[in-house]
């Protein structure tokens, strides 16, 4: 009886191993990992968009030209928060391109406004402006890290569904399609901007290219 039980156990183990080797388990596991990383990307972009109203309050006292640029940021924010990619659409290049374009439009408008506002010492010297610049720099870094992690998860998933023997289960059982990585529409869009925070009053500049650990501490900063 013990031999029969041991034989059955061996058969079950061999069958499970065979199923796993054919992509039954590995393909959905890789897919779910990529979907989770995409959720992190969307959350990082949403957190950046949530900072924009703070900038709006800070720049209201600036010149008319900067208010016009601010309006462009506000309009771009509305567009950037509108398109959402369902996880079932991560294999659709057109959906991904639309999302990327909206986020890069907001990032470009925001960068232009920050560069423009830096001409005003009275704004740069404000404590809440300094806090905002620190927060936005940290958030851009989070976005960059989230995109990097998502693209790596997509690479692993796409490799899994194309590699034997996983490709058997990927095509016959799951009907898996390659996922689309996030590619910057404009060069350098995934790189956190370098911001000059030295004011005419001699304030020390904030560090550019904040590291991942330091960026986690930025959540505690609140804009007055």
């Amino acid at each position: 009886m013990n031999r029969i039980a041991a034989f059955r156990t061996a058969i079950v183990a061999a069958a499970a191993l065979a199923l796993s080797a054919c992509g039954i388990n590995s393909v959905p596991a890789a897919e779910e990992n990529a979907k989770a990383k995409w959720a992190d990307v969307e959350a990082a972009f949403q957190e950046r968009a949530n900072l924009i109203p703070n900038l709006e309050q800070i720049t209201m006292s600036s010149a008319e030209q900067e208010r016009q640029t601010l309006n462009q940021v506000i309009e771009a924010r509305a567009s950037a928060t509108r398109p959402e990619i369902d996880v079932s659409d991560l294999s659709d290049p057109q959906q991904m391109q639309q999302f990327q374009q909206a986020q890069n439009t907001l990032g470009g408008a925001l960068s232009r406004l920050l560069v423009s506002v830096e001409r005003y010492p009275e704004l740069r010297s404000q404590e809440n402006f300094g806090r905002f610049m620190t927060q936005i720099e940290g958030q851009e870094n989070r976005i960059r890290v989230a995109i990097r992690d998502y693209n790596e998860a997509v690479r692993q998933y796409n490799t899994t569904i194309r590699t034997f023997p996983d490709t058997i289960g990927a095509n016959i059982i799951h009907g898996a399609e390659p996922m689309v990585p996030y590619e910057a529409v404009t060069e350098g869009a995934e790189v956190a901007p370098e911001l000059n925070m030295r004011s005419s009053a001699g304030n020390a500049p904030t560090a550019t290219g904040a590291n991942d650990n330091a960026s986690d501490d930025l959540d505690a900063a609140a804009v007055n």
Side-chain angles (χ1 to χ4, degrees):
M1 182 66 70
N2 291 336
R3 291 183 178 180
I4 295 177
F7 178 75
R8 288 177 177 174
T9 301
I11 291 297
V12 171
L17 180 60
L19 290 175
S20 176
C22 289
I24 302 301
N25 296 321
S26 59
V27 171
E31 180 182 20
E32 290 304 316
N33 181 52
K35 289 178 179 179
K37 297 302 182 183
W38 175 251
D40 292 340
V41 172
E42 290 188 312
F45 278 123
Q46 183 59 54
E47 289 169 5
R48 180 180 68 175
N50 292 343
L51 292 174
I52 302 302
N54 297 328
L55 179 63
E56 182 178 359
Q57 295 298 322
I58 294 170
T59 58
M60 287 304 294
S61 60
S62 60
E64 179 64 26
Q65 180 179 352
E66 280 59 51
R67 286 198 293 270
Q68 292 176 356
T69 307
L70 173 61
N71 289 335
Q72 294 175 3
V73 172
I74 295 173
E75 292 173 1
R77 176 183 183 271
S79 298
T81 54
R82 190 179 304 120
E84 294 183 359
I85 300 181
D86 188 88
V87 289
S88 62
D89 294 329
L90 290 177
S91 297
D92 188 337
Q94 184 176 2
Q95 292 279 349
M96 181 64 72
Q97 184 179 20
Q98 291 176 352
F99 183 88
Q100 292 171 180
Q101 184 62 60
Q103 299 303 332
N104 279 277
T105 298
L106 174 56
L110 181 58
S111 295
R112 289 192 298 273
L113 179 61
L114 292 178
V115 170
S116 179
V117 167
E118 287 233 347
R119 295 181 300 179
Y120 296 89
E122 66 276 12
L123 289 179
R124 295 202 315 270
S125 63
Q126 292 182 27
E127 181 180 1
N128 55 358
F129 180 67
R131 288 178 178 176
F132 174 83
M133 294 288 271
T134 300
Q135 286 181 317
I136 199 66
E137 181 180 300
Q139 195 56 46
E140 291 290 346
N141 190 57
R142 290 190 185 94
I143 290 172
R144 177 181 59 81
V145 172
I147 290 173
R148 180 198 65 193
D149 292 346
Y150 167 72
N151 283 344
E152 175 58 22
V154 167
R155 185 195 66 79
Q156 293 178 1
Y157 170 78
N158 289 344
T159 300
T160 298
I161 67 174
R162 291 188 176 103
T163 305
F164 182 85
D166 293 329
T167 187
I168 298 175
N171 291 286
I172 297 177
I173 299 175
H174 298 295
E177 296 288 339
M179 289 186 178
V180 182
Y182 190 103
E183 298 179 359
V185 177
T186 56
E187 184 178 357
E190 296 183 19
V191 180
E194 296 184 1
L195 305 175
N196 178 14
M197 286 297 298
R198 186 178 298 279
S199 71
S200 58
N203 293 334
T206 59
T208 59
N211 59 42
D212 299 344
N213 295 330
S215 65
D216 291 335
D217 296 331
L218 296 175
D219 291 331
V223 177
N224 294 332

